[in-house]
Amino acid sequence: MILVLQIAVVSPPIPLRQDFDYHPPLGVDCTLLVPGVRLLIPFGRTKRIGILLATATEPRIQTPLLHALELLDTTPVFPPELFSLLRWAAEYYHHPIGDVLFTALPAPLRAQKKPSKRTRTQHHNTTTESLLPAPSLAEPGPRLSSDQQTVVDAVRESRGFQCFLLEGVTGSGKTEVYMEIVREKIAQGQQALILVPEIGLTPQLLDRFRRRLAVPLAALHSGLTDAARYAAWRAAADGTVSVVIGTRSALFTPLPRLGIIVIDEEHDLSFKQWEGFRYHARDLALVRAQRSKIPILLGSATPTLESLHNVELGRFRLLRLQQRAGAAQPPVVRLVDLRNQTLYHGLAEVLLNIVKEHLERDEQVLIFLNRRGYAPVLRCDECAWSSECRRCDARMTFHRREWQLRCHHCGTQTQAPRTCPGCGKVTLHPVGAGTERLEDALIKRFPAYPLVRIDRDSTSRRGEMERLLEEVHSGQARILIGTQMVAKGHDFPQVTLVVVVHADRGLFGPDFRDTERFAQLLVQVSGRAGRAEKLGQVLLQTRSPDHPTLHTLLGGGYPAFAKEALAERAITGWPPYSALALLRAESADREVSMAFLHKAKAQATALVQNGSVEINGPMPSPMERRVGRYRAQLLLQSERRTDLQRVLHPWTPALETLAAGRRSLHWSLDVDPVDLL
Ligand code: ADP
Ligand code: ZN
Ligand code: ZN
């Protein structure tokens, strides 16, 4: 009897939805050949790392098999539950298994030489940032309110898999609830996995957990070195740490005694991977919890309509925290009508007067504008010239400090012109305002009050984010200007006024999810105001003060908005009332991507039974040209996920064949896309 190894090519991964047959390496003990071990294999003219998926007694092809070269592990790199989750994910997202496993594999295990002993034993000095030691004493928490206690009890009393949606306004004490639940699980010898949107931005959160739980923590996020990540991964897999806090990909951490998963800010877009293996960490976490038969808790002040719909269907159990913890009161929200207003660099004079009052009372002010740079476009007053990107259907942003034009889509940078490239006159003007411009304007207006600006430009240097946040926390900075980087998670106790400069952005967007995003962002930003004893105030600048969405939000808050939005989706049939898959194609030649999508559509159409899946397009993407390539898409929509999957299964291998040989064509399939861009 012969033994055939079915192996996925993992590193470097290949773009094929296929695995390959090999003979075992010569002289290897066959009992070691269990699914999940890595092997070095010959592949074409290269050597690659593969992962053993299964063994068989018959090869699937006629040509003689090659021998794998070397067995790299004595035990599987993924424990069985995680391995089967990853294989399930490859099927569900119709993504090449090798690339799925590659994504989940820590970088040192992707390298062809074995990780040296040294990196394994050096935990303590090289990885201080990823493995946080336990403080000697646990800091006691506040006495939980009865609402908080109800949540803790509900999770404790659940048996097996159960998903809880914790809807709690910002500052209502959700984090306290997470910590209590996790504390109980650890006391029972279990492990906890906590996924958060962007840990690098919230070092305080890690610290809070560490002090409260008094156990070692593993932190997993993109700001760490590969070695540090690997050390944390190993400590979790060994069971030497009980708590893993991390971003999206921390979902793939082996945790042998996993007892609870918490997803904080479940609505956050960063749980979705945008490239390559396009998974949604929240959705996969649900599958993981279900397979591990454990509870999972999704928390948010602004849950997605998907999750709220799951509550309606009885799949999730809703738990609520409706009051802010301690003495904090909800902020007072008001609209500032921008029409007929004198503006100072995009800020209404009436609003600046209120800013002044807060500053004079020694309070902090947060100015929110989700647009970095000085101005989104440089335009000529005389002719039609404006700063368009040559490679994208987009404007280049003017960055005044560096006197540059930068495309935020493709990264192109050029020196900004001083005279108009169109007509040669000195008639160029920055139009609109970004954070840089607000910074200049507010320094000029309020020179006595120290100001910090937090956006991707001001925090690009390592450690800069922490330094700026510290200036805010210490109270030294009085004015804080920020993009969405400051909208989430942060606790700014001295901020009493939040100004949303552009509260119209998103109200009129092209995507069916735009208003949901807008409402979430607005509520999250507003939640930064008045987190402590002092009453908070929020001012929304708008040119459409009569917009119904704004009124619903102001009148009934996010729950009222969500109710209305869900009713609208039910009528329009968009998710959560249908399932989507988006096939994207791009090429330097517009015709190539369109021709591919037309053929793809014909194939898919032939696979659809009884009209159970609707196929729309092909159509150009909302931003058709990006980085010099033309983008187009085909949208598949179905009332039932299973009908959609039934088409995707035979379709994706056919697409692979269809695209084969077209070098300039890139295509990708996005199952459950979070936007249609
Ligand atoms: P969220 O995660 O919902 O934004 P947090 O858990 O961070 O809320 O709580 C907000 C603030 O209220 C924190 O400073 C926290 O310590 C405090 N807090 C939470 N629960 C209580 C409680 N039961 N009693 C007193 N203070 C509390
Ligand atoms: Zn001109
Ligand atoms: Zn560009």
Side-chain angles (χ1 to χ4, degrees), residues 380-385 420 422-425 427-428:
C380 174
D381 292 341
E382 291 287 317
C383 70
W385 191 88
C420 174
C423 64
K425 298 197 184 125
T427 41
L428 292 176

Side-chain angles (χ1 to χ4, degrees), residues 78-129:
F78 298 111
E81 329 78 78
L82 185 55
F83 196 48
S84 90
L85 176 77
L86 291 165
R87 298 195 63 181
W88 181 89
E91 292 269 305
Y92 181 79
Y93 289 106
H94 301 274
H95 193 73
I97 177 71
D99 198 39
V100 170
L101 297 174
F102 178 85
T103 305
L105 208 57
L109 298 181
R110 297 167 179 170
Q112 300 200 355
K113 44 184 199 336
K114 290 179 191 176
S116 74
K117 284 270 169 5
R118 276 186 57 219
T119 54
R120 282 189 191 181
T121 49
Q122 257 183 358
H123 283 185
H124 299 295
N125 35 23
T126 58
T127 59
T128 42
E129 333 139 77

Side-chain angles (χ1 to χ4, degrees), residues 263-546:
I263 314 275
D264 188 27
E265 312 287 5
E266 69 94 21
H267 64 279
D268 199 279
L269 288 181
S270 67
F271 289 123
K272 167 85 177 181
Q273 169 124 323
W274 299 90
E275 282 173 354
F277 172 31
R278 293 172 168 76
Y279 65 97
H280 199 300
R282 177 204 54 213
D283 297 348
L284 274 186
L286 280 162
V287 179
R288 185 166 184 183
Q290 193 166 28
R291 291 168 155 240
S292 306
K293 304 187 176 62
I294 57 165
I296 175 170
L297 180 63
L298 313 181
S300 175
T302 54
T304 52
L305 299 184
E306 273 80 1
S307 293
L308 291 169
H309 184 56
N310 277 322
V311 170
E312 286 180 351
L313 294 175
R315 291 192 192 134
F316 294 0
R317 185 166 157 206
L318 181 65
L319 301 165
R320 279 210 169 110
L321 291 176
Q322 281 167 311
Q323 253 119 51
R324 283 190 162 189
Q329 290 296 307
V332 178
V333 186
R334 276 170 44 196
L335 298 178
V336 176
D337 186 350
L338 278 183
R339 296 169 306 181
N340 316 318
Q341 276 281 345
T342 323
L343 294 187
Y344 175 72
H345 297 274
L347 298 169
E349 284 293 342
V350 282
L351 180 141
L352 287 166
N353 290 336
I354 302 175
V355 169
K356 185 158 171 265
E357 286 168 20
H358 282 260
L359 292 173
E360 283 171 355
R361 284 203 301 262
D362 250 3
E363 296 161 353
Q364 280 177 325
V365 174
L366 164 64
I367 316 269
F368 174 78
L369 176 60
N370 212 3
R371 192 154 68 188
R372 64 199 169 87
Y374 189 85
V377 61
L378 207 54
R379 191 182 290 150
C380 174
D381 292 341
E382 291 287 317
C383 70
W385 191 88
S386 69
S387 54
E388 308 269 342
C389 177
R390 255 184 296 151
R391 302 201 291 166
C392 309
D393 293 332
R395 263 74 172 274
M396 292 178 88
T397 302
F398 178 44
H399 288 252
R400 194 160 184 264
R401 306 266 187 289
E402 296 84 7
W403 205 266
Q404 277 187 335
L405 292 175
R406 293 185 190 160
C407 174
H408 290 179
H409 301 280
C410 68
T412 300
Q413 304 190 355
T414 58
Q415 215 196 358
R418 304 217 174 235
T419 56
C420 174
C423 64
K425 298 197 184 125
V426 199
T427 41
L428 292 176
H429 279 290
V431 181
T435 46
E436 219 182 76
R437 184 170 194 166
L438 290 184
E439 180 181 14
D440 289 358
L442 289 167
I443 287 175
K444 216 179 267 168
R445 182 52 87 83
F446 301 113
Y449 300 96
L451 175 153
V452 299
R453 167 168 65 95
I454 297 185
D455 58 26
R456 245 196 304 144
D457 299 319
S458 72
T459 57
S460 57
R461 255 183 303 144
R462 206 175 247 273
E464 200 57 14
M465 178 79 181
E466 287 75 9
R467 197 183 67 75
L468 294 175
L469 282 176
E470 183 44 39
E471 280 188 29
V472 180
H473 285 290
S474 68
Q476 191 195 337
R478 313 303 318 170
I479 305 174
L480 166 61
I481 298 173
T483 56
Q484 61 177 2
M485 286 178 97
V486 301
K488 18 184 179 178
H490 298 287
D491 206 352
F492 302 124
Q494 299 171 67
V495 168
T496 53
L497 175 65
V498 171
V499 171
V500 179
V501 178
H502 229 285
D504 296 334
R505 261 192 139 183
L507 276 180
F508 306 99
D511 198 296
F512 72 90
R513 281 198 179 87
D514 282 335
T515 45
E516 180 185 357
R517 299 275 149 71
F518 164 79
Q520 287 165 346
L521 193 58
L522 215 56
V523 173
Q524 296 284 343
V525 178
S526 307
R528 303 304 121 211
R531 302 259 293 178
E533 300 76 40
K534 292 179 184 163
L535 185 65
Q537 191 180 4
V538 180
L539 298 176
L540 309 177
Q541 289 201 132
T542 172
R543 286 185 191 283
S544 30
D546 301 321

